[in-house]
Amino acid sequence: MTVSEPRQSAAADPVVIGRDKDSPTVDYSQTKISGSMAYTGGFGHTTRHSGAAVDRTLVCKAFMDTEAKVVRVCSPDGFGKCFATSIIKKFFSVVTRHDMPRESISGYNSNEIPSTLDPEVARAGRAKIFESTVLRQELPVFFDEHFCRHPVLLIDFRYMHNVNFVLMCRGMTYSLMKLASFWTEAYTQDQLDSAQKEALASMTELRTELNENLYNPQFDFDNCGDNLRALFALVSDFVFSVSKQRYIVIVRGYDRPLCVSAGKPFEDKARKIYMALLSQIFKNNDRLFKGILTGVYAFPLDEAVDLGLNRMSTIMPTVNGCYENCSVSILANPGPFNDLLGITRSEVVELASLLRLTKHVDFLPNRFGGYSFGRDKIRYNIGM
């Protein structure tokens, strides 16, 4: 393979690392490309600032090609779970005001969400992220068919605290409030009909009420589960009403509510609340197009059938190169998703050469390697 030297400019494009000449046209392995904003680097920030990058955009095709409706990805931190779901969201999600160009103030983009939404402008801005990617270059038909076609509901539980039941409920409520806040600000009033405005008002009212009471010591957190399900139902009603499309649900840190309650006096109560929420999201939900859950731990989900997850594909690695294509409720082939986590040893060597770290090339895989995602394909942590 021909490798380009990294450029010295801080604003340099990612370095192109070519593919093996015998690779098929559509290759699900990691690929380095030039000029893309949709990438993540290896070796932490050093690589990102040195111009070496890893294209992750084929994860969108892998997600669609996975037989199961819901995919669970469990791996140690640093394997790109968050980044992969960010790309899925950026690619599939319908455009909103969040995609409009931000006003520049003293050279910095404002945090203020634009007051207007021009779908063509927003879509063009989103398309720039993917303009040099493998996904757009090699799969143009797939790209045009799915780009900006589905709403994406992102729920992030990663930052919950594990002190007591109240803090756990606050964390879960805050995660659902962030979801509601995103969609509250997604459209302008003139783009909504009367029914959609009513749905928006109901969602905003409940979100505001929960926000005002989140830190109220008198607030009854025993109703936490009812509040979570009610807020998700309102978000679902509003999003489906406006988009007229089934949505994708991303749950980051799906294992966090289970981790923070494990072994605690409130474990049974917390698990019941959380499982009821997952059941609402994934079971018999005609508005659900596909779902993906990410986390570190592959918790046994004894309630998988009740949750509508009995055909969920679970993808996880094991240490020391032993393949295990995971523990619970695997009735579907995870497809090419296995090839899109971590980086290969040859890529570690190539990145090390680009960054002039060749003398560490034996140390790096030993320090961050040893994980297999199947078919003897060893992957290394991208955060090394």
Side-chain angles (χ1 to χ4, degrees):
M1 286 186 281
T2 302
V3 180
S4 302
E5 287 295 322
R7 302 174 189 174
Q8 299 303 313
S9 170
D13 288 337
V15 171
V16 179
I17 301 180
R19 288 198 206 157
D20 213 27
K21 63 181 180 180
D22 296 326
S23 296
T25 301
V26 178
D27 182 1
Y28 286 106
S29 66
Q30 296 286 5
T31 305
K32 285 74 174 185
I33 52 92
S34 177
S36 171
M37 296 169 62
Y39 64 82
T40 184
F43 306 110
H45 294 289
T46 303
T47 301
R48 296 188 185 96
H49 293 297
S50 300
V54 180
D55 186 311
R56 295 256 179 189
T57 54
L58 286 179
V59 74
C60 300
K61 184 66 163 61
F63 179 53
M64 289 296 294
D65 286 350
T66 303
E67 179 185 341
K69 192 171 187 176
V70 180
V71 179
R72 177 172 62 164
V73 179
C74 302
S75 70
D77 290 336
F79 271 86
K81 301 184 297 293
C82 179
F83 188 82
T85 52
S86 294
I87 291 299
I88 288 172
K89 184 176 186 295
K90 283 289 186 183
F91 177 73
F92 287 103
S93 185
V94 294
V95 294
T96 66
R97 288 167 56 200
H98 301 279
D99 295 299
M100 291 295 290
R102 301 296 175 96
E103 180 183 359
S104 180
I105 301 176
S106 300
Y108 295 93
N109 289 336
S110 169
N111 290 326
E112 292 293 326
I113 298 173
S115 58
T116 60
L117 170 59
D118 183 329
E120 292 302 317
V121 172
R123 194 176 189 277
R126 184 94 69 78
K128 287 183 180 179
I129 299 174
F130 293 89
E131 64 184 3
S132 301
T133 61
V134 175
L135 183 67
R136 189 165 192 177
Q137 292 176 345
E138 297 192 0
L139 299 173
V141 175
F142 175 86
F143 190 95
D144 293 338
E145 181 181 357
H146 294 285
F147 183 57
C148 298
R149 299 292 184 182
H150 294 278
V152 177
L153 310 187
L154 173 62
I155 305 172
D156 195 338
F157 290 124
R158 290 176 299 162
Y159 305 108
M160 291 176 55
H161 299 287
N162 59 349
V163 178
N164 54 46
F165 179 72
V166 170
L167 287 179
M168 192 209 76
C169 287
R170 281 178 181 165
M172 294 182 68
T173 303
Y174 180 74
S175 298
L176 267 293
M177 284 169 49
K178 286 190 67 176
L179 170 66
S181 295
F182 178 90
W183 289 102
T184 298
E185 301 167 330
Y187 301 101
T188 58
Q189 287 288 321
D190 61 344
Q191 294 174 306
L192 306 177
D193 61 28
S194 57
Q196 293 164 353
K197 289 178 181 178
E198 184 176 342
L200 175 61
S202 299
M203 179 175 66
T204 304
E205 181 181 1
L206 180 55
R207 181 184 65 85
T208 302
E209 178 186 345
L210 293 175
N211 186 54
E212 292 174 348
N213 289 284
L214 199 57
Y215 295 95
N216 183 352
Q218 306 302 320
F219 189 65
D220 184 8
F221 280 99
D222 286 333
N223 293 324
C224 173
D226 294 337
N227 293 330
L228 294 174
R229 293 192 300 276
L231 187 54
F232 181 83
L234 291 173
V235 173
S236 175
D237 290 343
F238 174 71
V239 171
F240 188 76
S241 173
V242 176
S243 68
K244 305 296 191 296
Q245 295 286 338
R246 291 184 297 161
Y247 48 70
I248 294 170
V249 174
I250 297 173
V251 181
R252 287 179 182 162
Y254 94 93
D255 54 341
R256 191 61 183 158
L258 302 173
C259 288
V260 301
S261 60
K264 302 291 177 61
F266 56 88
E267 179 177 7
D268 291 342
K269 181 164 61 172
R271 189 179 182 95
K272 183 177 179 180
I273 289 172
Y274 185 47
M275 293 302 159
L277 176 63
L278 291 184
S279 179
Q280 178 188 18
I281 296 172
F282 294 109
K283 185 177 182 181
N284 300 326
N285 183 354
D286 293 336
R287 297 172 179 175
L288 178 69
F289 178 58
K290 283 185 79 73
I292 180 169
L293 303 91
T294 66
V296 175
Y297 302 103
F299 274 91
L301 296 178
D302 299 329
E303 308 91 339
V305 174
D306 295 332
L307 298 176
L309 299 178
N310 54 307
R311 286 191 58 80
M312 174 178 67
S313 280
T314 300
I315 302 162
M316 65 175 288
T318 55
V319 180
N320 298 325
C322 301
Y323 173 53
E324 178 183 356
N325 189 14
C326 187
S327 52
V328 183
S329 307
I330 303 182
L331 301 178
N333 182 358
F337 229 108
N338 283 345
D339 296 340
L340 289 162
L341 296 169
I343 54 180
T344 65
R345 182 179 177 86
S346 64
E347 291 165 344
V348 172
V349 173
E350 201 147 10
L351 285 168
S353 176
L354 280 170
L355 300 173
R356 299 176 176 83
L357 295 173
T358 306
K359 64 181 180 180
H360 301 298
V361 76
D362 292 327
F363 163 76
L364 289 169
N366 292 332
R367 176 65 178 83
F368 295 97
Y371 295 95
S372 172
F373 288 86
R375 305 187 190 93
D376 298 321
K377 296 180 179 179
I378 308 301
R379 292 292 186 267
Y380 300 94
N381 188 320
I382 64 170
M384 63 172 63

